Amino acid sequence: MNILRMDGVKWLMIFVSLGICSQTAAQSAIQVSKFSATSKTVILRWTKYTGATSYRITAALKSSPNVPVAFSTFGTNTVMGSISSLSQSVTYIFTIEALDGNQAVLSTASIETETAPDMMDPISGVSSKDSRALVADFNLKTGATYYIIRVENANGFFREDAVLSSPAEIKNLTPYTEYSLSIMAANNGGRSQPSLPVTAKTALPPPQLSTSSPSNDSIVVTWPPVAHAVQYTVSISMFDFSSEMNYNTSNTSLTFPGLDAGALYIIAGSAWDPEGRNGESSLNISQKTRPPTPSSVNVSVVMSNNAAGLLVYWELSQEVYGTIEYQVASDHNQTCNSNSTSCTLSPVGCGEVLTIQVTAFNEAGPSCPSTPVVFITFPCSPDSLALVQSAGGNCTLMWNTVPYADSYRAFITTGDGSEETCNTGINCTYSCQCGYTYLMSVLAYNHAGSSPPGKVLNHTTLPCCPDSVSVSAVSTDTLEISWAASRGAILYQTQAADSSGVVLCNDTASVCALSDLTCDSSYSVVVMPCSEISGCNHACEAHTRDTAPCMPTNLNVSPKTSTSVSVSWTANNRAATYTASADGGSSRHTCTTPGSSCDIADLSCGSAYKFSVSAASSAGQSLPSYSVSLETEPCCPASLAVEQVTVAMTNISWSQANGAHSFITSLTSPRGHARCHTRDSHCLMGCITCGTNYTVTMEAFSLSGLVSNCTYQGFSSSVCCPSGVRLYAMSGDSLRVYWRSTDSSHISVTELTGSRSNYTCTASPGENSCDVEHVQCGDVYHVVVAPLTPEGSKVLFCPQRLYSVTCSGSNVGTVIYRGKRSVD
């Protein structure tokens, strides 16, 4: 312990002062709180007060706080006591006094509280709201702000519900259980005694109904037995509640017959207990009856996308509720579903005999199937066409008969595009000349329509060379050749020849693709029409076409700067333009050249790019080369902030940086440096020296080890705090604060903070002391000396010291150093 005195007081006086200081510890005032309250009595508790030999409690009305109405006295070791004979629901002010042996008041404290209300009348009425809730009626109590209903049963169940008014609902109870209910009035002071109990029993729970419709005019309802139930009531009504019927039964199932088909019914039920009380009603359950059977079923043939189907349509005999789904089924295992009154069975074939029925469905189940309808489909087309050519330029077409056909029609398409038809039984004779192609077909008919197109018989002369030949490149190694169909041709032979060989394609279509060709080559393409009878025509014109350029190879990418690269490749085409591209996902950069290299600039930092190159010429575009991946240097954070948190620690944070995986942040000065390595966007640094300017730099690293060097605005640490702070007593009621200054260019502010008063004084730059006058002695002071920054704010990190200042009469006595923090 340090004792400093400036006026030369004798050592004997110092020892006497030490003895006095060690015996005068500060003592807090007595404190009082409410422990509990009834309508007539309040129990208080208080803290012991050193030196007190007894305690006295007095009570006064809040409206007359200076007129006591009751009091009680307690001994020195008592810390809890009651005061009685009070009035219910009244607010009192209670005062506790700590008394010494001469009945002098050492300390006093007061508390304001209210007494509880008187006991209430019993609950006047209880009714059952449902199987898990009761409703209680009671008379309100003057002075009560709320009420507490106590609920008990014979099995030890107990709880208390707070309510505001009558009637009050008591929820979450057990069905068909007897409860004892009592009520208490309550206010801010406490609660009254419980009233005399009344008993009440909850109702039976609702039966859990399950319903189904076994037919279109009945509904079956079933439920598990309800404990203690002696009878059940089930009600059923139409959806519009136009006609409600109630049925009583002692069983757990019930059937409702004679209902409307396809109608919606609402069903509910309840159970009766042995006391004759009707229990809680179940939730309304909706149940449909099954729909009526569809009638007036008709069938017709329809075509869709060149496929035949059967359109089935029907009627319903009555109105139904809600959506009805229908299923149409045939004996050939064909089905279709519909929400309307029509549906199409598809596909169907020629010459079929089908039996068709329609069934209606709703949530209750299926109706009875409709009356079966037998339908014969259109006939099949004749498949045995034969042609006999006779002298004189006539041809006779013949065919066989097919089942279910009523008539036939032959169609002959001549070489000039005209069409001839004839209806002559099972053969047809027409004029045919050479040099053309004749296409012949036959259709069979019945009541359902015509047969599908059948076999086509052709008779051709030598085919002609095709017109409108077009040769186009569809990929780097494939040419597509198309032409106008030529008269008499049923097969085309296409060939493409270059210096290395010939590629052939045979097809009946007027288009052909020749693949596996050599890139960047010139081909001679010829289309030769052929027929089975006259062979191929070899005198057709040839067409020349180049294939697309070859894919560039040996791609190489070299960085030039942080945002540009050099791309090179092997140029292996006769004449082409090359385009190199860098794909970064959200951005794309390119460069174009007729040579074998070019530069791509303006790449984004912290990004991964895929590089490729492709060639283009008048013949088309090559495949892109194999790609090469390259990562650019990571981006520097756009912003960085340094915040000093203690004298020697700073917290540094920065914004997001694309491509950066980790960071090395540095604070550098001639007086030392600090550094941290982290993956986060912030770090805490120590070893910071006060009053120092630091350079702030950062290294941002990518996952692959690329680094970017970043520089930011410098950081200055706070002004250094003075050291050697001491407090001395001066003459009279003055104190002097002294310190060793670390910087003579700043104003210093001194703060003395005591339990009763605070003092400040300011010292000019270069001064190392400050006098505080009119100081109140007999208190403990926290002393802090802090310099001001150039902006005028106080440095927040300077330490504080604790001093006790004793009294010598009315003046300052001894100043005692207590350390850097309080030991109280």
Side-chain angles (χ1 to χ4, degrees):
M1 179 179 294
N2 295 332
I3 304 173
L4 302 177
R5 179 83 181 202
M6 299 298 292
D7 56 0
V9 179
K10 301 293 186 179
W11 282 104
L12 180 59
M13 293 300 293
I14 295 175
F15 290 142
V16 172
S17 298
L18 280 173
I20 294 172
C21 293
S22 62
Q23 295 175 4
T24 57
Q27 179 171 319
S28 300
I30 189 171
Q31 296 184 9
V32 63
S33 62
K34 183 187 78 173
F35 179 75
S36 66
T38 67
S39 62
K40 301 296 183 181
T41 302
V42 172
I43 300 175
L44 304 177
R45 57 183 175 187
W46 56 87
T47 58
K48 292 190 68 175
Y49 193 85
T50 303
T53 60
S54 63
Y55 299 91
R56 181 170 58 204
I57 302 175
T58 58
L61 295 175
K62 181 180 179 182
S63 59
S64 302
N66 298 322
V67 181
V69 297
F71 73 92
S72 294
T73 304
F74 302 92
T76 182
N77 294 320
T78 304
V79 292
M80 181 182 294
S82 65
I83 187 165
S84 303
S85 301
L86 304 175
S87 299
Q88 61 96 15
S89 299
V90 175
T91 301
Y92 290 89
I93 296 177
F94 297 92
T95 303
I96 179 74
E97 296 173 309
L99 307 176
D100 61 11
N102 296 323
Q103 296 298 296
V105 178
L106 299 177
S107 181
T108 182
S110 297
I111 185 172
E112 178 183 309
T113 188
E114 185 179 4
T115 54
D118 280 342
M119 184 174 71
M120 293 185 63
D121 296 332
I123 294 174
S124 57
V126 182
S127 59
S128 176
K129 180 180 180 182
D130 53 43
S131 62
R132 299 183 64 86
L134 295 173
V135 176
D137 287 287
F138 52 89
N139 297 324
L140 301 182
K141 187 72 173 179
T142 302
T145 56
Y146 65 100
Y147 303 89
I148 299 173
I149 297 178
R150 180 174 294 172
V151 185
E152 301 177 78
N153 67 10
N155 297 325
F157 172 81
F158 174 88
R159 83 164 192 241
E160 292 181 346
D161 289 0
V163 300
L164 296 177
S165 62
S166 175
E169 183 176 346
I170 306 167
K171 302 179 181 179
N172 302 321
L173 303 178
T174 303
Y176 199 67
T177 302
E178 187 171 79
Y179 290 92
S180 174
L181 306 178
S182 58
I183 188 165
M184 295 169 281
N187 60 15
N188 292 333
R191 61 171 69 176
S192 69
Q193 294 297 316
S195 68
L196 294 176
V198 297
T199 59
K201 181 181 286 188
T202 51
L204 287 176
Q208 303 301 309
L209 304 183
S210 298
T211 61
S212 63
S213 176
S215 65
N216 61 9
D217 65 347
S218 65
I219 290 176
V220 175
V221 185
T222 61
W223 59 90
V226 176
H228 308 292
V230 296
Q231 184 175 279
Y232 303 93
T233 296
V234 182
S235 66
I236 184 170
S237 64
M238 295 286 286
F239 177 70
D240 56 1
F241 295 97
S242 58
S243 58
E244 182 176 1
M245 297 177 287
N246 294 307
Y247 296 86
N248 294 326
T249 181
S250 57
N251 297 324
T252 57
S253 66
L254 192 63
T255 299
F256 298 103
L259 305 178
D260 293 341
L264 179 64
Y265 288 88
I266 307 300
I267 302 167
S270 61
W272 294 80
D273 61 20
E275 293 84 1
R277 299 183 307 159
N278 194 4
E280 181 182 353
S281 179
S282 69
L283 297 176
N284 289 336
I285 296 178
S286 60
Q287 174 66 51
K288 290 181 181 178
T289 51
R290 297 192 182 193
T293 300
S295 60
S296 304
V297 179
N298 289 281
V299 183
S300 61
V301 177
V302 293
M303 301 296 295
S304 177
N305 297 325
N306 296 323
L310 297 183
L311 175 63
V312 184
Y313 49 97
W314 56 91
E315 297 178 357
L316 278 183
S317 60
Q318 65 187 74
E319 292 288 335
V320 296
Y321 180 88
T323 301
I324 302 295
E325 292 187 359
Y326 302 91
Q327 184 182 74
V328 179
S330 73
D331 58 347
H332 288 196
N333 295 323
Q334 296 165 307
T335 62
C336 66
N337 298 305
S338 173
N339 290 325
S340 63
T341 55
S342 65
C343 188
T344 301
L345 290 175
S346 64
V348 294
C350 60
E352 295 180 349
V353 180
L354 297 93
T355 300
I356 300 170
Q357 288 182 294
V358 183
T359 304
F361 290 83
N362 63 8
E363 293 91 333
S367 70
C368 294
S370 66
T371 302
V373 174
V374 178
F375 186 82
I376 300 175
T377 64
F378 46 86
C380 297
S381 58
D383 58 359
S384 59
L385 302 183
L387 180 67
V388 177
Q389 186 172 2
S390 59
N394 289 328
C395 296
T396 301
L397 177 66
M398 297 179 292
W399 58 89
N400 64 325
T401 61
V402 293
Y404 309 113
D406 298 331
S407 61
Y408 302 92
R409 178 179 295 176
F411 298 87
I412 300 94
T413 302
T414 61
D416 58 2
S418 61
E419 185 177 65
E420 181 181 350
T421 63
C422 62
N423 297 315
T424 58
I426 57 173
N427 62 71
C428 179
T429 301
Y430 63 95
S431 175
C432 58
Q433 299 179 10
C434 62
Y436 290 92
T437 297
Y438 296 89
L439 302 177
M440 294 154 284
S441 63
V442 178
L443 295 180
Y445 293 86
N446 67 7
H447 70 283
S450 67
S451 66
K455 178 180 179 182
V456 177
L457 186 65
N458 63 42
H459 180 64
T460 63
T461 59
L462 185 69
C464 299
C465 290
D467 295 328
S468 305
V469 177
S470 173
V471 183
S472 59
V474 294
S475 69
T476 56
D477 63 351
T478 302
L479 291 177
E480 182 181 69
I481 301 94
S482 61
W483 55 90
S486 60
R487 187 173 61 248
I490 61 172
L491 178 71
Y492 298 92
Q493 185 180 81
T494 307
Q495 68 177 25
D498 69 348
S499 59
S500 61
V502 177
V503 180
L504 294 176
C505 169
N506 294 328
D507 204 331
T508 58
S510 58
V511 61
C512 181
L514 298 176
S515 58
D516 197 23
L517 305 179
T518 303
C519 60
D520 195 40
S521 296
S522 180
Y523 281 89
S524 176
V525 181
V526 178
V527 181
M528 294 174 289
C530 304
S531 70
E532 294 178 353
I533 298 175
S534 56
C536 299
N537 188 343
H538 297 279
C540 297
E541 179 185 2
H543 301 268
T544 302
R545 174 73 189 202
D546 289 346
T547 53
C550 297
M551 178 182 74
T553 58
N554 301 323
L555 177 65
N556 183 52
V557 181
S558 301
K560 294 188 69 177
T561 67
S562 61
T563 59
S564 65
V565 297
S566 176
V567 186
S568 61
W569 57 89
T570 299
N572 47 6
N573 293 293
R574 293 171 296 171
T577 300
Y578 298 89
T579 299
S581 63
D583 191 352
S586 61
S587 62
R588 190 170 186 269
H589 305 269
T590 62
C591 63
T592 302
T593 179
S596 59
S597 66
C598 64
D599 294 340
I600 299 178
D602 298 327
L603 301 179
S604 302
C605 61
S607 300
Y609 289 92
K610 286 186 178 181
F611 294 85
S612 64
V613 62
S614 60
S617 69
S618 59
Q621 186 165 330
S622 73
L623 293 173
S625 69
Y626 299 119
S627 62
V628 174
S629 298
L630 183 68
E631 184 183 65
T632 58
E633 295 178 0
C635 298
C636 287
S639 61
L640 180 142
V642 184
E643 180 185 4
Q644 189 166 354
V645 295
T646 69
V647 174
M649 285 197 304
T650 59
N651 185 49
I652 302 181
S653 59
W654 51 89
S655 59
Q656 182 67 32
N658 289 338
H661 179 69
S662 62
F663 307 89
I664 296 179
T665 307
S666 301
L667 298 180
T668 306
S669 75
R671 303 174 66 179
H673 70 278
R675 188 182 190 206
C676 72
H677 194 178
T678 180
R679 292 179 61 186
D680 299 326
S681 60
H682 59 84
C683 68
L684 193 65
M685 285 191 185
C687 303
I688 301 302
T689 304
C690 61
T692 304
N693 294 328
Y694 286 91
T695 299
V696 183
T697 59
M698 173 184 284
E699 295 175 280
F701 295 87
S702 69
L703 278 172
S704 61
L706 297 178
V707 60
S708 293
N709 294 311
C710 315
T711 302
Y712 298 92
Q713 182 179 356
F715 162 72
S716 297
S717 59
S718 67
V719 180
C720 295
C721 296
S723 60
V725 177
R726 295 290 186 270
L727 184 65
Y728 299 97
M730 303 293 287
S731 60
D733 55 0
S734 299
L735 294 175
R736 173 168 292 176
V737 183
Y738 171 81
W739 60 88
R740 291 192 297 274
S741 178
T742 58
D743 191 341
S744 61
S745 62
H746 294 278
I747 298 172
S748 297
V749 176
T750 301
E751 294 182 348
L752 276 70
T753 305
S755 62
R756 292 170 290 177
S757 57
N758 302 325
Y759 306 93
T760 61
C761 66
T762 303
S764 301
E767 296 182 356
N768 62 349
S769 67
C770 184
D771 291 343
V772 182
E773 298 180 348
H774 308 300
V775 177
Q776 185 175 359
C777 60
D779 201 353
V780 177
Y781 291 94
H782 296 267
V783 181
V784 178
V785 181
L788 298 181
T789 65
E791 294 78 16
S793 61
K794 185 179 69 175
V795 175
L796 301 177
F797 310 114
C798 295
Q800 68 177 4
R801 296 189 171 218
L802 196 65
Y803 286 89
S804 295
V805 179
T806 65
C807 293
S808 176
S810 61
N811 294 325
V812 171
T814 304
V815 177
I816 304 172
Y817 175 55
R818 300 284 294 275
K820 292 186 178 181
R821 61 180 181 179
S822 174
V823 297
D824 292 338

